[in-house]
Amino acid sequence: MADKSTQALKEFLGEAEDILESLSSDLMELAEAGVGGDADPDLLNSIFRGAHSLKGLSGMFGFVDISDLSHQMESVLDSLRLGKVPLDQTLIEVLFEALEILGRLVHGKSESADFTVDVGPVVKNLEGVLSGGGEREGQDPFAGLDIERSVLDVLTEYEEHRLLENLKKGRNLFRVLTCFKLTTFDTDLGEITEILKKDGEVISTLPSADSEMDDAIAFQILVGSALGLDDMAALLDREGVRVEAIGQKKTKGAAPQVSKPVSSSVAKANPIPADIPGKTSDGGSSMRSISRMVRVDIDKLDVLMNIVGELVIAKGTIAELSDRLRADGHGLAGELIKATRILERRLAELQKGVMEVRMVPISQLFDKMARVVRRMAGDVGKKINLEIRGAETELDKLITEDLSDPLLHIIRNAIDHGIETPDERIAAGKSEIGQVGLRAMQKGNHVVIEIRDDGRGIAAEKVRKKAVERGLIDENAELSQEEIFDLIFLPGFSTADKVSELSGRGVGMDVVKNNIAALSGMIDIASRPGEGTTLTITLPITLAIIKALIIRVQDKEFAIPITSVMETLMVERGAVRTIEGREVIELRESTLPLLRLSRIFQLPPMPGEGSRPCFVVVAGMADKRLGLVVDELLGQQDVVIKPLGNILSFVRGFAGAAEMGNRKTILVLDVGSLMSESLRGELSAHV
């Protein structure tokens, strides 16, 4: 194996992962198209090109195992798109099996370039599919059809297959003759192709020698469509385009009908460019990349974002100095303030641009989960349909990556514990096919992700009984249903009667909650016995640079992410009441629980505390609200959150630390963690 630099290996992994994600998404679509169904030719070609690209990429890096497997996969896909093998369940399963092995190989290479697995069995399965397909033999399938030999002779094997498929479907065949000026032929041809695809299939696009102008180029496009000649002609009613019906039986020898003549201004043929847009060929001799995307290491984006963060902090310092100079009556203060505002606008644009680069659609994560659901459902003998909504919702790339493991745990639990077996579901009056839903949506500066199943749901009484048996709660403790469900997130807690390969060891849901809390997010459970369970995760869109409300509690300053602040209030002491030992206030006909930060941080009481008016920051996430009692509101500021590190990882209630413009470092409150644990009355035990 050739030596590979770390950078080259990173580039291979990044590109291979993109190809695998695309292959996974396309294969899922192919499977959903239905066995024996009418698979979209463009979809088949996309899958074929994916396997072909992975073969070439891995071959270039000397990864023989990936290259061999993707080559065999490519051969099967080529036979499939040529109609030599049928699209059946066996084929789908073998393709997914090959994709699974390719994924393991690519991920294994990230740990060690020498990592490999035995691809022999799956290669044998792919060969079995090929050998069972049979070859298409026999007489000329185009005999008796009114198609010029000159047209058929230039078709590739794939184009011949697509032509026959259109004939089998009873579609009409047309030859569209076009002639465009050299200056605009690429866009003109692209427009015609898009129009034709809406009502049929473009089988072939070839240059033609029929051009009658020196500065023009002609094409003939072979099209299959359910439209008649008149409708097709009306569809393409424009200058330089005419339509002929072909492929009819030769019995009457009817002459081709012409819908519209080519423009009279068209003259004689011109040399044909080698690179013709729209040509449906897989060859492609150009080394030029089709994609205009640039793959960037997320660590480099982090460095860039940190620099932007430092500039934001420096801007804050300059603004503060400007205000002080103006207060002192300095003559240059006005000019400095104007320059600061220009800097602020440009920094905002730069920050927005960097943020947009970091945002990725959550479909990258949901597509991986679709494969997991498919594979695990087969492993446990259950029938499960996955419904995905809102896959276009965007989230910070790092948050998306850190969310993958928690989401995987939740999906595993839903499949193993939530969805019943087909027999159990039928006995319960349900469809034998269980439903699992993944839905994402943006709400303000947060993204909400719902994981829903229509399984057996969570039996609250069983959870409570287990908690009592394990000594986690007192037998006489009065807990709401929400509080009982929160017990599931305690370390080691499980209601499973037996341990399976997927779940049931009591390891996972506490990790899920901690990982989501580390992303400044929250997770909630709603469940009804017999109807299913819904877990709702609320996450900030990004953690890179956030606007924060700076507050003071006694002589300590803290930052609260502005995305969690609903409003701020000044509350008179008399408005604070106590219910079951907890301070609350009435806010627009609802009760708002209060949390005094000075008490949970165990700061010594100040003289007169509790007797004078106080500021309340109303914080909200998901459907929860909490009033944080503070001494002073100092204003808003952009901050860059830095993690506290492993040594302080046990401290809960803080999302991290942020440096202020005056070189002072303050702690950033983790509102989600404070909120959920405060409402459970356990906060003082952790902070």
Side-chain angles (χ1 to χ4, degrees), residues 33 64 152 265 304 335 436 519 568 586:
V64 178
L152 296 176
S265 60
L304 191 58
E335 296 298 320
V436 174
L519 298 172
T568 58
E586 290 294 322

Side-chain angles (χ1 to χ4, degrees), residues 68 86 110 267 305 329-330 375 393 480 539 555 636 673 681:
D68 287 348
S110 66
M305 182 54 81
H330 198 288
R375 179 167 49 83
T393 307
S480 66
L539 293 165
D555 61 343
Q636 297 181 21
S673 170

Side-chain angles (χ1 to χ4, degrees), residues 86-108:
L87 176 61
D88 57 20
Q89 190 62 38
T90 302
L91 176 60
I92 294 291
E93 293 298 332
V94 171
L95 288 176
F96 270 110
E97 183 186 8
L99 182 66
E100 192 72 28
I101 298 296
L102 287 172
R104 286 175 55 194
L105 284 168
V106 170
H107 284 90

Side-chain angles (χ1 to χ4, degrees), residues 187 199 263 375 511 525 621 641:
T187 53
D199 286 293
S263 169
R375 179 167 49 83
V511 177
I525 296 181
M621 288 188 75
I641 301 179

Side-chain angles (χ1 to χ4, degrees), residues 97 118-126:
E97 183 186 8
D118 182 12
V119 300
V122 69
V123 167
K124 190 174 179 181
N125 288 342
L126 289 166

